[in-house]
């Protein structure tokens, strides 16, 4: 609690309970109107109004674009809603959820999404932290490398997807030309069910790492230099310094990056949509893309909503569990 | 002062949130309008049309011209009012779809009199009562000038729901010069009456390979996303006597029937390796591989004709187009077919005067409009009279493709369940492409698994 708040609390406690004896009789009554009590605590009305005014935009936008769609989607999950017949919707109970558990593509997509998360998160985390550690040292061309590592983030996913599609073309792509020249032989990459998802993992990590690198870099810059000096004097080596000083010092940032990266990975849609259309034979179909396909391409809003609701619960559970495990849950 | 600034900031933030809400409510409106000055009154009947293009695109510019020409005609409705077209542009198919969906969800009757609709969506739109039957307003005489496939694709449950001013027939482009070099004569090339089978194509590729010539076929399997597969290759299924769904609109037993599977198996040999370990299918990224002589065959729509005419004029007499090869078993060939279909226009139940709206559709998809579109963007006209009068269609590849359109073109499956069928068909072709030759390869099993999802 800040000083101002403490002072306010003292003042309002005095005003509500123990009005100063030496003051005029009317004054405490007038001041008392400036406060209200809620759940045993007193609040300044004027400050509360300003607070609410600041909070209102987030509340309106959050309600409109987060809460309302979630509530509507949950509602649709229990109906036979069709995109072209949204004015003629019928309640079907848990039928869509029964279908969800029977639909093999849902589980293929769920497996693919999990595989993507399990592969991309460690890869991207290590890449971004590694790049940040390199750039945190005094190396020549630091500014250039910082810019170079961040460039993929600035490019749109659609642009980079098309770029990689050309690079990976089996017939005349640059990468296959190089592979053939060095004797490895041409690879199908995006047309091979066993390679396609791994290619997308690599491209996603390449594109996303620059952003997390900047976040890590700013956290690393905030670690006081004297801690490292003390560790050096105590004889700590580089690994020990990283493990016992650097990592604990950026724990909050690490948790933030991990959770946002995790949620982003769970939501993968653009690359499979552009590069593989979920194929070959559903090997790159992700949950987000399948939700999109069911709702907007097949127009089955009811089923799409049921999958979305199920997947939201899974994502929320995983994200909250990780926060708990890392001990960075600030709700306490 | 500090408090005032705080409140002002908060108010501005609130305002921006409300403005965002206002901007997101309903659809964002058209990007451009032609005929916006007209309004309904005692002498005027305004017919609103929603198009799927921007006014800045070539196709949009043609629509604008057609709208202006219509408004100059002073065409009258049955009640004597002068019909005026108000054409509203919704920049892309997605934007138009979003606008339609938000009007349906709002349920406030905001749909216009006429909507642009892609051919495969007609059945779903008709079923959802977004389009209305206009057969009572279009005369038999008018209808008889449209090519049969346009009428067929616009017909659902016996009603006519949409008409089109452009079409995109498909065929097999072949390099005549290359084939003649390995012994073929003009008389041996496939025709509507005597089409080539896929075996014939494979034989030709082997001859070309043996002669050291370009010996691959460009199948364009990734063309147009998933939709391209059914657009280019649905005739394979019909050629072998197969189908996509039955009378109950279910696909199980049809999509995975032996006939359907046999129709698709004709592609398998092309994905096998040749003597050098390469497949017979071109998988490079050169869009002009056929025009540049890199491949001997290409399965595609009419766009390659305009590319060759524009950029490879010396190649114009070196190629022609034959119908998509047919299925062949025991020396007996299946029926020839061709993919086709493009964007159409239909009347919504919201139209205040359906007859007036039908007159606008008739004009908007009429022979003149069709020819304007052909001249501007190269899509094929949809009127028999246009093919008879336009010089380009009298000889060469364009004439061959025009014959294919008028004689054997078959629309894509007309069913409410079309999106799932189209997606499943694309996945099945992708399965052949990626898994043929694998020990676990089983096309029929794969088709049966896809049927479960189509019929769910």
């Amino acid at each position: 609690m800040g000083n101002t708040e403490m002072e306010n609390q003292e003042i309002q406690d005095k005003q509500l309970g123990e009005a100063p004896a030496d003051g005029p009789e009317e004054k405490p009554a007038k001041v008392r109107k400036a406060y209200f009590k809620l759940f045993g605590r007193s609040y300044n009305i004027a400050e509360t109004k300003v607070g609410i005014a600041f909070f209102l935009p987030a509340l309106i936008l959050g309600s409109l674009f987060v809460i309302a769609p979630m509530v509507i989607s949950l509602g649709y999950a229990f109906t036979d809603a069709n995109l072209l017949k949204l004015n003629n919707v019928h309640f079907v109970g848990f039928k869509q959820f029964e279908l969800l558990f029977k639909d093999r593509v849902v589980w293929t997509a769920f497996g693919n999404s999990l595989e993507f998360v399990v592969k991309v998160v460690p890869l991207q985390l290590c890449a971004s932290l590694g790049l940040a550690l390199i750039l945190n040292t005094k190396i020549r061309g630091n500014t250039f490398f910082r810019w170079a590592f961040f460039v993929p983030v600035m490019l749109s996913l659609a642009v980079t997807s098309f770029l990689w599609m050309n690079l990976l073309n089996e017939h005349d792509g640059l990468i296959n030309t190089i592979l053939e020249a060095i004797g490895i032989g041409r690879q199908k990459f995006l047309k091979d069910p066993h390679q396609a998802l791994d290619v997308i993992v690599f491209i996603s990590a390449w594109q996303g790492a620059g952003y997390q690198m900047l976040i890590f870099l700013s956290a690393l810059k905030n670690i006081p230099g004297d801690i490292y000096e003390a560790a050096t004097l105590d004889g700590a080596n580089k690994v020990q310094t990283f493990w016992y000083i650097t990592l604990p010092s950026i724990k909050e940032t690490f948790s933030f990056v991990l959770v946002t990266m995790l949620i982003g990975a769970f939501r993968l849609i653009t690359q499979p949509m552009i590069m593989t259309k979920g194929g070959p034979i559903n090997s790159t179909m992700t949950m987000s893309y399948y939700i999109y396909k069911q709702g907007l391409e097949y127009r089955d809003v009811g089923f799409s909503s049921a999958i979305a609701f199920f997947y939201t619960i899974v994502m929320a559970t995983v994200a909250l569990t990780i926060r708990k495990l890392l001990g960075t849950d600030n709700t306490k | 002062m500090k408090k005032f600034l705080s409140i002002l900031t908060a108010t501005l933030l609130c305002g921006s949130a409300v403005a965002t809400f206002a901007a997101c409510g309903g659809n964002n409106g058209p990007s451009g309008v032609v005929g916006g000055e007209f309004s309904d009154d005692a002498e005027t009947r305004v017919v609103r049309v929603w198009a799927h293009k921007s006014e800045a695109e070539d196709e949009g510019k043609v629509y604008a011209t057609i709208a202006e020409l219509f408004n100059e005609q002073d065409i009258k409705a049955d009640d004597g009012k002068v019909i005026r077209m108000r054409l509203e542009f919704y920049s892309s198919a997605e934007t138009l779809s979003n606008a339609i969906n938000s009007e349906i969800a709002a349920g406030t009757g905001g749909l216009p009199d006429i909507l642009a609709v892609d051919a495969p969506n007609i059945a779903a739109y008709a079923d959802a009562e977004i389009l209305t039957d206009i057969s009572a307003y279009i005369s038999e005489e008018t209808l008889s000038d449209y090519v049969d496939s346009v009428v067929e694709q616009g017909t659902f449950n016996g009603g006519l729901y949409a008409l089109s001013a452009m079409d995109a027939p498909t065929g097999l482009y072949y390099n005549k010069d290359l084939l003649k070099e390995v012994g073929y004569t003009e008389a041996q090339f496939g025709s509507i009456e005597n089409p080539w089978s896929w075996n014939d194509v494979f034989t030709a590729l082997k001859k070309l390979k043996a002669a050291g010539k370009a010996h691959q076929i460009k199948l364009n399997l990734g063309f147009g996303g998933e939709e391209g597969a059914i657009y280019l290759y649905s005739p394979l299924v019909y050629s072998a006597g197969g189908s996509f769904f039955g009378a109950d609109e279910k696909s199980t037993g049809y999509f995975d029937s032996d006939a359907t599977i046999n129709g698709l198996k004709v592609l398998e040999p092309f994905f096998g390796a040749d003597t050098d370990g390469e497949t017979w299918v071109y998988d490079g990224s050169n869009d002009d591989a056929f025009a540049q002589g890199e491949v001997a065959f290409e399965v595609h729509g009419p766009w390659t004709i305009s590319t060759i005419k524009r950029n490879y004029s010396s190649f114009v007499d070196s190629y022609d187009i034959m119908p998509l090869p047919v299925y062949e078993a025991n020396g007996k060939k299946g029926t020839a077919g061709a993919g086709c279909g493009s964007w159409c226009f239909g009347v919504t139940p919201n139209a205040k005067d359906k007859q007036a709206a039908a007159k606008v559709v008739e004009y908007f998809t009429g022979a003149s409009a069709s020819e304007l579109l052909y001249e501007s963007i190269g899509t094929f006209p949809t009127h028999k009279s246009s093919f008879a009068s336009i010089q380009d269609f009298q000889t060469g590849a364009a004439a061959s493709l025009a014959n294919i359109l008028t004689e054997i073109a078959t629309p894509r499956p007309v069913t409410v369940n079309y999106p799932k069928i189209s997606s499943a068909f694309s996945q099945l072709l992708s399965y052949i492409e990626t898994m043929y030759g694998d020990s676990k390869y089983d096309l029929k099993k794969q088709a049966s698994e896809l049927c479960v999802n189509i019929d769910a």
Side-chain angles (χ1 to χ4, degrees):
Chain A
M1 198 182 274
N3 285 344
T4 317
E5 283 178 75
M6 287 175 72
E7 284 161 16
N8 283 344
Q9 190 68 38
E10 284 167 16
I11 292 167
Q12 66 195 70
D13 285 347
K14 279 180 189 169
Q15 286 165 342
L16 286 167
E18 311 153 34
D22 54 341
E25 287 294 315
E26 301 80 15
K27 204 175 177 184
K30 196 179 171 186
V31 174
R32 196 171 289 131
K33 282 180 187 173
Y35 295 87
F36 70 99
K37 260 196 160 184
L38 188 68
F39 301 123
R41 285 181 61 94
S42 302
Y43 298 92
N44 182 302
I45 291 175
E47 286 181 359
T48 305
K49 279 180 183 172
V50 174
I52 288 173
F54 274 102
F55 170 64
L56 215 52
L59 182 69
I60 294 170
L61 293 174
S63 303
L64 273 174
F65 297 113
V66 180
I67 298 167
M70 281 175 74
V71 171
I72 292 168
S73 175
L74 179 59
Y76 277 142
F78 295 94
T79 69
D80 62 354
N82 178 293
L83 190 63
L84 298 180
K85 299 177 185 174
L86 288 177
N87 50 357
N88 186 20
V89 171
H90 305 100
F91 179 74
V92 294
F94 286 92
K95 190 186 158 200
Q96 304 289 16
F97 291 95
E98 283 174 32
L99 279 176
L100 186 155
F101 288 103
K102 287 180 188 167
D103 188 332
R104 294 174 65 170
V105 183
V106 169
W107 297 107
T108 303
F110 188 61
N112 290 340
S113 296
L114 283 184
E115 187 182 339
F116 178 78
V117 170
V118 167
K119 286 178 174 174
V120 83
V121 170
L123 180 65
Q124 196 170 328
L125 206 59
C126 291
S128 54
L129 186 54
L131 291 174
L133 287 168
I134 292 168
L135 294 181
N136 197 39
T137 57
K138 286 173 184 169
I139 55 166
R140 284 187 69 185
N142 197 312
T143 311
F144 168 77
F145 286 118
R146 194 178 305 179
W147 173 81
F149 295 148
F150 193 70
V151 163
V153 182
M154 295 191 289
L155 297 172
S156 91
L157 283 172
V159 171
T160 52
S161 296
F162 281 113
L163 180 81
W164 278 103
M165 280 168 75
N166 278 324
L167 288 172
L168 295 167
N169 185 285
E170 189 185 349
H171 183 81
D172 48 20
L174 179 67
I175 292 173
N176 264 321
T177 308
I178 294 169
L179 289 179
E180 194 171 39
I182 60 174
I184 292 177
R186 292 180 180 272
Q187 303 295 310
K188 285 190 170 181
F189 291 124
L190 295 168
K191 287 190 174 178
D192 183 338
H194 305 296
Q195 292 182 341
L197 190 64
D198 290 337
V199 171
I200 291 177
V201 166
F202 170 77
I203 294 169
S204 303
W206 165 81
Q207 176 139 33
Y211 176 68
Q212 281 95 23
M213 174 200 75
L214 279 192
I215 298 172
F216 276 132
L217 193 58
S218 70
L220 291 172
K221 297 272 183 211
N222 285 333
I223 302 173
D226 49 4
I227 303 180
Y228 286 111
E229 283 171 24
T232 312
L233 288 174
D234 287 344
N237 60 29
K238 295 253 178 190
V239 176
Q240 287 170 322
T241 307
F242 174 75
W243 199 251
Y244 295 109
I245 294 174
T246 308
L247 267 186
S249 301
I250 60 166
K251 191 177 169 188
E252 296 287 332
T253 306
F254 190 88
S255 168
F256 168 76
V257 168
L258 179 63
V259 172
T260 51
M261 198 183 281
L262 204 71
I263 292 170
F266 269 120
R267 287 163 48 201
L268 174 74
I269 184 168
T270 310
Q271 293 95 325
M273 186 187 273
I274 293 172
M275 300 172 86
T276 59
K277 297 280 169 200
I281 46 172
N282 288 327
S283 61
T284 58
M285 179 64 72
T286 62
M287 284 294 267
S288 296
Y289 189 29
Y290 196 53
I291 290 165
Y292 168 87
K293 272 182 94 86
Q294 284 291 344
L296 291 168
E297 288 185 14
Y298 304 161
R299 304 183 182 120
D300 197 343
V301 175
F303 188 44
S304 171
S305 300
I307 308 172
F309 180 65
F310 163 76
Y311 196 47
T312 304
I313 289 174
V314 171
M315 281 200 293
T317 308
V318 172
L320 291 174
T321 307
I322 284 183
R323 282 178 67 93
K324 285 276 182 196
L325 287 175
L326 287 173
T328 50
D329 188 346
N330 55 8
T331 55
K332 288 173 189 172
Chain B
M1 186 61 185
K2 197 175 168 185
K3 189 176 169 185
F4 170 75
L5 285 174
S6 302
I7 292 171
L8 183 67
T9 311
T11 311
L12 287 172
L13 284 169
C14 276
S16 68
V18 173
T20 310
F21 169 64
C24 296
N27 68 69
N28 286 333
S31 60
V33 178
V34 172
E37 68 274 25
F38 301 118
S39 57
D40 274 332
D41 57 35
E43 293 172 354
T44 311
R45 165 68 67 207
V46 175
V47 174
R48 282 173 72 208
V49 182
W50 280 6
H52 60 292
K53 289 285 172 186
S54 143
E55 66 277 25
E57 290 175 78
D58 288 343
E59 190 176 329
K61 285 175 188 166
V62 180
Y63 290 145
T65 305
I66 299 168
E68 283 160 4
L69 287 171
F70 179 88
N71 289 334
E72 287 169 10
Q73 306 281 314
D74 288 342
I75 294 170
K76 289 191 174 173
D78 283 3
D79 59 6
K81 289 183 179 180
V82 176
I83 307 171
R84 298 293 186 202
M85 193 194 308
R86 180 188 158 94
L87 177 62
E88 300 173 8
F89 293 97
Y90 280 86
S91 62
S92 70
E94 287 74 27
T95 315
L96 177 64
S97 178
N98 288 341
I100 294 169
N101 293 340
S102 55
E103 289 302 342
I104 294 166
T108 51
L111 286 176
D113 303 82
I114 294 170
L115 276 181
V117 54
D118 196 10
N121 286 329
I122 292 171
Y125 277 37
D127 181 66
E129 297 178 357
I130 296 167
L131 294 178
T132 194
D133 184 3
I134 52 171
S135 51
Y137 311 113
I138 308 285
S139 71
E140 279 296 323
E141 189 191 347
T142 304
L143 217 51
S144 65
D145 193 36
Y146 286 90
V147 293
D148 296 344
S149 59
V150 164
V151 178
E152 201 182 325
Q153 78 184 3
T155 303
F156 176 69
N157 284 346
L160 179 70
Y161 288 88
L163 288 169
S164 176
M166 55 187 177
D167 214 325
T170 66
L172 179 70
Y173 288 73
Y174 62 98
N175 189 321
K176 282 197 295 188
D177 290 354
L178 274 181
L179 290 169
K180 282 177 182 173
E181 284 172 28
V182 292
Y184 285 90
T185 62
E186 287 278 354
Q188 288 177 291
F189 295 136
S191 63
I192 291 171
E193 297 76 26
N194 187 22
W196 269 20
S197 70
W198 286 95
N199 296 338
D200 295 328
V201 179
F202 197 56
T203 304
L205 290 181
K206 284 194 273 192
K207 282 184 184 175
L208 289 164
K209 165 89 179 169
K213 312 237 174 248
H215 58 274
Q216 283 188 310
I217 181 168
K218 191 164 184 261
L219 292 176
N220 283 315
L221 283 178
F223 170 74
E226 288 193 326
E227 184 57 26
I230 202 163
Y231 160 68
L232 291 172
Y233 293 101
S234 56
L236 297 189
V237 173
Y238 300 130
S239 174
S243 57
F244 291 93
F245 59 94
D248 57 354
E249 298 254 323
K250 296 288 182 190
S251 287
T252 304
Y254 300 91
F255 189 85
D256 57 350
S257 69
D258 288 341
T260 302
I261 298 305
N262 287 338
L264 296 178
K265 276 179 174 283
V266 296
L267 293 178
E268 289 175 349
F270 297 91
F271 291 106
D274 67 9
T275 48
D276 294 331
E278 292 277 336
T279 70
W280 300 93
V281 179
Y282 175 77
D283 54 7
S285 54
N286 181 5
D287 287 340
D288 296 348
F290 177 74
Q292 292 175 359
E294 203 175 333
V295 297
F297 296 96
E298 179 176 10
V299 177
H300 209 16
W303 305 281
T304 306
I305 295 178
S306 33
T307 302
I308 292 171
K309 191 177 171 185
R310 198 172 50 243
N311 302 331
Y312 304 93
S313 53
S314 62
F315 188 65
V316 166
D317 296 324
S318 302
Y319 81 102
D320 205 342
I321 303 170
M322 64 169 86
L324 198 69
V326 296
Y327 172 72
E328 183 181 16
N330 305 321
K332 195 179 172 190
K333 286 181 176 177
T335 50
C340 63
S342 191
W343 279 77
C344 311
F345 288 89
V347 177
T348 73
N350 215 35
K352 293 178 287 273
D353 182 341
K354 291 186 178 58
Q355 185 136 38
K359 280 187 179 179
V360 172
V361 169
E362 204 178 305
Y363 189 91
F364 215 57
T365 63
S368 305
S370 202
E371 287 163 23
L372 278 173
L373 281 162
Y374 166 69
E375 285 161 17
S376 174
I377 60 171
T379 50
F380 269 39
T382 51
H383 292 259
K384 294 166 190 167
S385 56
S386 302
F387 289 117
S389 62
I390 298 174
Q391 193 57 37
D392 292 356
F393 295 112
Q394 308 315 311
T395 55
S400 302
L401 199 56
N403 281 335
I404 289 170
L405 174 64
T406 52
E407 301 292 326
I408 57 168
T410 314
R412 283 162 273 178
V414 180
T415 168
V416 174
N417 214 10
Y418 179 83
K420 282 187 176 179
I421 288 177
S422 172
S423 177
F425 189 72
S426 167
Q427 287 177 52
L428 207 52
L429 290 193
S430 169
Y431 180 77
I432 299 172
E433 183 186 10
T434 53
M435 295 300 287
Y436 180 67
D438 189 284
S439 57
K440 290 179 186 166
Y441 178 80
D442 186 341
L443 190 61
K444 190 171 171 67
K445 187 181 166 203
Q446 185 68 16
S448 298
E449 283 178 10
L450 288 166
C451 283
V452 176
N453 281 72
I454 299 172
D455 294 338

